[in-house]
Amino acid sequence: MSAAKFSNPVVRWIDHRLPVFSMLDHTANEYPTPKNLNYMWNFGSLAGLSLVIMIVTGIVLAMSYTAHVDYAFESVERIMRDVNHGWLIRYIHMNTASFFFIVVYLHIFRGLYYGSYKAPRELLWILGVVIFLLMMATAFMGYVLPWGQMSFWGATVITNLFSAIPIVGESVVTFLWGGFSVDNPTLTRFFSLHYLMPFLIAGVVVLHIVALHRFGSNNPIGIDTKGRQDTISFHPYYTIKDIVGIAMFLLLLAIAVFFFPNAMGHPDNYIPANPMQTPAHIVPEWYFLPFYAILRAVPDKLGGVLLMFGAIAILFILPWLDRSPVRSARFRPVFRIFFWLLFIDALALGYLGGMPAEGIYVTLSRVATAWYFLHFLVILPMLGVFESTKPLPKSISEPVLATTGEAA
Amino acid sequence: MAKSTSNSKSPSADGVQEPARRDFIVVATYAMGAVGAAAVAWPLIDQMNPAADTLALASTEVDVSKIVEGQAITVTWRGKPVFIRRRTPDEIARANAIDGAELRDPQEDEARVQRPELLVVVGVCTHLGCVPLGQKTGDVKGDYDGWFCPCHGSHYDTSGRIRKGPAPTNLEVPPYDFLSDNVIRIG
Ligand code: HEM
Ligand code: FES
């Protein structure tokens, strides 16, 4: 290795024996990045930042939290009232969880729009879906910890999903609970797993980055970089752009934490859990609502559960459902329309998941659910065959140089 | 398998039999390793199942003499609510008015009670586990005047049988017996 590239002799000595500095230098300095990335490429670094904030605030919260049905609620109230800065730390943990999901949803839709899941980035995409699943499990278990009414009934409803499995369903649920209802054994194991899973996520994030660096970032026009004229080094160009995104993110997060800390939560979770009484209207955290709407749209228990998990599972095979060789929606006029329809459909499902399961809401949920699956299973495969795409530029540099006025 | 391996590998100086025998040892080693790993994993997984103290079935004794006709009470058994309702003659008649065999979870009313006036069911919706409404006067009781689960809209009749909505089965009847005319023991 070219150890001479570091001027500091200590760095050089270490790097010769443990090439961490070469690795860092490779990722930040040498790593060639397409020069046309827009702000939609900021959400990866923001997701990473969110994970770090969650781990740091979580470890601190765990120092004052008690995982026991008789003390959990009070220990969280104590964090809010008596522990120094406890309110701040808990509100950061709560709100960053929501922001984490906003960021990841935007990150996913970016990938959908620019075809980032297509060859050769299929595994990169699949690892992303794995992270998404782990995040959902982590957030679900975290929401149970304060042991409020929504914690308890959310845990009851979600664990009961597994009772839909034929034959072994009931045993699986008893296994998950460690008893015959959601109770103390459930709370303690959820705490243990809630502590563990963020670190699993961190591990998968490393794999996600390794897969990313194999072929580099996709870009807004979705064609491969053809040489030095198409790329710039990550540092300082994208480090500075990421910092702009981070500043915006932290500003919005601070506004939420300091002025609207409970806006994305549910007031019923400030009522201690009562296993004898279900709240009149139970809803999961907002980031689960689209999936909850799919669950409720189906009048059959097993069918609802299968469709709900299917909605995520379908993302795993997306690279093979969309066979169009063109990545970016910029050159796919018909796909672009359907992309935005899917976006609206996802928002609609989110809205419907929060409404009571009756009357017009049920009908609309069914339409929106059908559309979701239709998009992935029928429309995308057909577009790959029938859509006539616009001509692709020869390279990333070409359109930028040729159409000076428009591209800026 | 052994055959294909011995074909694919060219016979060495030590004889044709050698690779096949070695294959067997390799497979046997993998198999032993897998058995060992499973044996170690089992205690780690099984510790999540209900512990001995949780399993030591707590039973609940209830004096049902205080429940007046048309009234219902909720008691706790194994951490779950149990509904006990003293049904009116009208409610019993309505439960028997329908042929139980035609229902989603076919069951006659007689099979669900020990004494027709006293209905005892676990108050946990068989859909996803919410506690249905209908115990208190003034609660919504659903289209069949039994219970209504607000979570995803399941309707139960006056026998606690599922009539409408996503729940797949009737409200569970827990094991119970009469210790005397007035006292039942659940569990
Ligand atoms: C992927 C990262 C994480 C996510 C998405 C997440 C999510 C959540 C959520 C949604 C809550 C409920 C907040 C509330 O309503 O009170 C929560 C609570 C909690 N989390 Fe996390 N968490 C993460 C990482 C961690 C880590 C690494 C720890 C370290 C032990 C931790 C410890 C806690 C504790 C002790 C609570 C209970 C106190 C409270 O409710 O505020 N979390 N988490
Ligand atoms: S839990 Fe009762 S209807 Fe879903």
Side-chain angles (χ1 to χ4, degrees), chain A residues 153 156-157 160-161 163 174-175 178-181 189 275-278 280 282 292 295-296 299 301, chain B residues 45 48-50 54-55 76 78-81 126-131 136 150-152 165-166 168:
Chain A
W153 291 103
T156 300
V157 167
N160 260 308
L161 291 178
S163 71
T174 307
F175 172 78
F180 302 101
S181 58
R189 67 188 53 186
M276 293 297 124
Q277 192 179 20
T278 311
I282 65 163
Y292 196 57
L295 170 77
R296 297 193 308 181
K301 179 167 161 180
Chain B
I45 296 169
M48 282 178 70
N49 273 314
T54 316
L55 278 178
T76 315
R78 279 178 166 189
K80 295 182 201 180
T126 59
H127 181 228
L128 296 175
C130 292
V131 178
K136 295 200 207 88
C151 287
H152 318 96

Side-chain angles (χ1 to χ4, degrees), chain A residues 336-367:
Chain A
R336 198 158 62 206
I337 297 169
F338 283 108
F339 169 87
W340 287 113
L341 286 177
L342 180 76
F343 188 73
I344 293 166
D345 189 56
L347 292 181
L349 281 170
Y351 168 77
L352 294 165
M355 292 292 119
E358 46 200 48
I360 182 74
Y361 297 123
V362 178
T363 321
L364 289 176
S365 302
R366 290 189 182 151
V367 175

Side-chain angles (χ1 to χ4, degrees), chain A residues 98-131:
Chain A
S98 279
F99 273 62
F100 199 176
F101 276 93
I102 297 177
V103 162
V104 165
Y105 279 132
L106 290 169
H107 193 62
I108 293 174
F109 274 107
R110 184 283 313 264
L112 291 175
Y113 188 84
Y114 295 109
S116 301
Y117 47 85
K118 292 187 186 183
R121 295 186 183 83
E122 300 96 324
L123 278 181
L124 174 59
W125 171 261
I126 288 174
L127 287 168
V129 183
V130 171
I131 295 174

Side-chain angles (χ1 to χ4, degrees), chain A residues 21 28 46 63 122 144 163 172 202 258 264 272 288 333 336 408:
Chain A
F21 295 102
L46 291 178
M63 295 181 185
E122 300 96 324
V144 176
S163 71
V172 170
F258 291 111
M264 289 178 285
F288 294 131
R336 198 158 62 206

